[in-house]
Amino acid sequence: MQQVTFPIRVMQQLGIRYLFVSNASGGINTSFRTGDLMVITDHINLMPNPLIGPNLAELGPRFPDMHNCYDKELIAAATRIAGEEGIKLQYGVYVGGTGPTFETQAEYRYFKAIGGDAAGMSTVPEVIVARHMSIPVFGVSVITNCGLSDEVGDHEDVQRQGRKAGAKMQTLFIRMIENLK
């Protein structure tokens, strides 16, 4: 976890004011379709917490508050910009698991039962570290497969779907960054 989150620490020291994160994820919410963009409104962490161990007080508090870890003002800006650009957005809770395997059907049912809308193997540690350092975060999941269906995919399918949705996400991120200047 320290290696995964180290770049966030470095970027904070270099002066970033916001962190934008994205991932490929399996859709749990049955209203989601492959290729949808889901704005992450919250997450469920099923990975080791990157803050385990001695706290670096100069970077943040021992027990940082994770309420509203995805910035509501950034989400509102994304919603407005998506409307202007004709980009459909979904909203939901991201479940972060360890991987490196794609989820089983039983795991998807479990994730749905605990409140998840999409699942993947990244993002959460970086967000925890960013919030530890009080960096506002905006996150998007590209729904690359629908986990509760019988749809079978592999890593190449995930990458292909990610590339297809990439232009929409790029437009959204660029417009948001322009508005932050």
Side-chain angles (χ1 to χ4, degrees):
M1 285 295 140
Q2 301 311 312
Q3 185 177 5
V4 169
T5 58
F6 182 72
I8 309 304
R9 301 275 193 209
V10 170
M11 288 186 284
Q12 189 267 348
Q13 294 296 306
L14 292 172
I16 67 165
R17 296 186 351 236
Y18 302 93
L19 179 67
F20 285 41
V21 293
S22 65
N23 61 59
S25 63
I28 299 167
N29 187 315
T30 55
S31 69
F32 292 178
R33 298 293 170 256
T34 299
D36 281 352
L37 297 182
M38 183 192 84
V39 172
I40 304 171
T41 58
D42 205 347
H43 68 242
I44 298 169
N45 183 24
L46 300 178
M47 298 182 201
N49 191 305
L51 301 181
I52 291 173
N55 185 52
L56 301 173
E58 64 274 14
L59 296 178
R62 171 73 272 182
F63 299 103
D65 184 2
M66 287 290 124
H67 285 86
N68 302 312
C69 53
Y70 298 89
D71 190 87
K72 291 184 182 312
E73 290 179 19
L74 293 174
I75 292 171
T79 300
R80 180 183 51 76
I81 291 166
E84 293 169 2
E85 295 288 340
I87 298 171
K88 177 185 173 192
L89 295 178
Q90 303 282 12
Y91 300 85
V93 175
Y94 177 79
V95 179
T98 60
T101 57
F102 292 115
E103 296 78 9
T104 67
Q105 294 293 96
E107 288 168 330
Y108 274 120
R109 289 190 301 273
Y110 170 68
F111 297 161
K112 182 177 183 176
I114 64 171
D117 292 295
M121 304 173 229
S122 66
T123 307
V124 174
E126 295 91 334
V127 170
I128 290 171
V129 166
R131 295 306 305 135
H132 179 241
M133 298 181 297
S134 300
I135 301 169
V137 175
F138 176 72
V140 172
S141 292
V142 176
I143 306 301
T144 55
N145 65 303
C146 294
L148 291 171
S149 73
D150 289 331
E151 182 182 326
V152 177
D154 58 19
H155 187 61
E156 287 75 29
D157 291 328
V158 168
Q159 290 178 318
R160 190 171 24 262
Q161 291 301 326
R163 283 190 296 275
K164 286 168 70 174
K168 294 184 291 186
M169 189 169 56
Q170 179 181 353
T171 298
L172 183 64
F173 279 20
I174 288 171
R175 290 275 319 275
M176 290 180 69
I177 291 167
E178 288 172 350
N179 285 342
L180 291 173
K181 292 180 182 176

